[in-house]
Amino acid sequence: MHRVRDLHDGRKVVLTERVHEFLDWAQKYYEISVCSLGDQPYVDMVVNVLDPSRTVIRGIAYSARNEYMYISQSWSSRRPPKDLLSLFPYCAEREPGLPTIDPIIIDDNVSMWPADQQDNIIVVRENTQSKVWNVSLFPVVQQALSYVHESYFRQLDAWGASEKSQRGAPPTATGCYKEYLRRELSFKIASAPTGIVSDGPTGSVVAMPEAIATVSS
């Protein structure tokens, strides 16, 4: 299969469809890094498969294997092993009133990251209709990242052009991502059919035109 690639140590990886096309697009707007629970040689081999010339993935290729092994043998073995502060220590430096670096994560497992970093995650679930592991990067993930990039820099320009005495908090990429999610949800709600009344189970919410009725037990 064309999406299965051999690594130098004999292991194999499955690439999601159009991943190279996605990376070529994303690197125009973002600095791309890679984080995995695999050991460092594995991470390096995967990056070489994704970007042999290292012209697209210009950020960090980071193995969280040591963190995973340490945590798995500790008293709190369920702590998440991945942490943005391990990749980007400067994320901890947040001076009031100044813009901050706010990475966006693409991952299929939210629990691998601390709770206070999970708002940064675009969750890519496995495509259940595919016979071989696959996730869809186009168009939804691309659209989300495109919105975040455009919205962040538009807001940052407006923030920088305003009078210092009138400035509020600077924009963040996470804030722009939340805006995108709210916008998409509002569009879905607005485009949903109305006038449908169904018998909901006890304690459920039944939606009707211009009303929401809570059915109590």
Side-chain angles (χ1 to χ4, degrees), residues 15-197:
L15 304 182
T16 190
E17 292 179 352
R18 302 176 66 186
V19 64
H20 291 103
E21 179 184 351
F22 177 81
L23 292 173
D24 285 340
W25 171 83
Q27 61 89 21
K28 299 175 184 177
Y29 307 99
Y30 292 87
E31 179 183 274
I32 302 172
S33 295
V34 174
C35 179
S36 171
L37 295 188
D39 56 27
Q40 192 61 50
Y42 171 82
V43 176
D44 293 337
M45 286 186 287
V46 169
V47 170
N48 286 334
V49 169
L50 293 172
D51 181 24
S53 62
R54 290 306 298 266
T55 57
V56 174
I57 301 175
R58 296 189 294 268
I60 299 168
Y62 187 85
S63 168
R65 188 68 179 177
N66 288 337
E67 291 92 328
Y68 173 77
M69 295 301 296
Y70 175 81
I71 290 172
S72 65
Q73 299 173 25
S74 71
W75 62 272
S76 181
S77 59
R78 293 190 176 184
R79 283 183 296 163
K82 296 181 180 179
D83 194 322
L84 284 175
L85 297 183
S86 297
L87 282 79
F88 312 111
Y90 53 76
C91 288
E93 300 176 4
R94 296 183 178 273
E95 297 186 32
L98 293 178
T100 58
I101 302 297
D102 206 15
I104 296 294
I105 304 165
I106 300 175
D107 204 330
D108 63 351
N109 192 341
V110 174
S111 65
M112 291 292 102
W113 300 87
D116 62 349
Q117 297 174 11
Q118 292 179 6
D119 284 349
N120 299 57
I121 303 175
I122 297 177
V123 184
V124 285
R125 298 297 187 196
E126 180 180 355
N127 188 331
T128 57
Q129 298 180 352
S130 178
K131 294 182 179 180
V132 179
W133 179 89
N134 192 34
V135 298
S136 298
L137 298 173
F138 293 97
V140 177
V141 177
Q142 182 196 34
Q143 290 173 351
L145 289 176
S146 181
Y147 179 93
V148 170
H149 182 273
E150 187 279 331
S151 180
Y152 174 78
F153 283 102
R154 174 172 47 80
Q155 293 182 36
L156 185 63
D157 287 343
W159 180 85
S162 62
E163 294 290 338
K164 289 186 178 181
S165 60
Q166 299 178 358
R167 286 178 182 172
T172 65
T174 304
C176 294
Y177 177 41
K178 291 180 179 180
E179 287 177 8
Y180 174 79
L181 295 178
R182 284 192 293 268
R183 188 191 73 158
E184 290 300 300
L185 180 59
S186 68
F187 287 164
K188 288 183 180 297
I189 293 172
S191 62
T194 59
I196 300 175
V197 180

